[in-house]
Amino acid sequence: MESEKKKVIVINGSPRRAESVTLVATDWFVKGIEEAAPCDVEFVTVSDLNVKPCMGCLSCWARTEGECVIKDDDIIHVKKKILDSDIVIVSYPLYFFGMPGTMKVFTDRMLSLMQTYAGQPASLTGESLHGIRYPKPGRSFVVISTCAYTEVKGAYDALKCQYDCICGRGNYTAVLVPQLKMFLASAKGERLEKYVKRFEDAGRILALEGKVSDEILKELSQSPFTERTYKYLLKEYWDRQRKGES
């Protein structure tokens, strides 16, 4: 008897669409998932959607019990795909210490996925601040994000705090990757293969076990260059940019 296929949805929140460097790492991660278990994978690009901003009416918390009153854009269809999925992956680069603006508008419209706020203290206890309205046993939520900073420490504090409030600390997998663009521009051969394999292995583990250990996530977040080398590479890069060179 064939195993039931897992449903995987990848929300590409990069304004660069298919040109996203983050999407490269996400593809590696998804390949590992596909190798581990039968699955159907769907990619949705936020910048290609018609997404209207949340109006802040809070009707989804009061009058409509989890349904957004905005019906004439694409959110209702994407929300259904998310609820039907076993693995939900959001993928985007770090923009000014947070998510890109288009992704923030999309995330705001996911408010109806949260339970109605009932006066809970805004302190991070490890649980979702509001609670998830439509929990699904075994569903995994993954955030994959890359940045150009020397390391992820500090740069991702604000973003992680937001997801801690939404999901609850430890209830999501955060794959945070520094220096990827520069690494892809220079890495070749065995070094690149080993690097890619880390992400494929992490995806495989998520598919089989439902989570990725902190040790593996720490390894994925390791900087590929030393601080001195990276500063040199950045100087070269910005010098070329100022001259209009690619």
Side-chain angles (χ1 to χ4, degrees), residues 123-137:
S123 58
L124 300 178
T125 61
E127 300 296 324
S128 169
L129 186 58
H130 296 178
I132 306 300
R133 185 179 290 272
Y134 308 105
K136 180 179 181 180

Side-chain angles (χ1 to χ4, degrees), residues 140-165:
S140 298
F141 179 61
V142 184
V143 180
I144 301 179
S145 181
T146 65
C147 70
Y149 290 102
T150 303
E151 58 183 359
V152 300
K153 185 179 180 181
Y156 277 100
D157 287 357
L159 188 66
K160 288 193 294 183
C161 184
Q162 183 171 2
Y163 282 116
D164 285 349
C165 289

Side-chain angles (χ1 to χ4, degrees), residues 12-21 23 45 47 93 95 100 102 181:
N12 174 18
S14 172
R16 297 180 66 84
R17 296 177 168 85
E19 301 302 316
S20 168
V21 171
L23 201 57
T45 299
S47 292
Y95 269 41
T102 49
K181 182 175 182 178

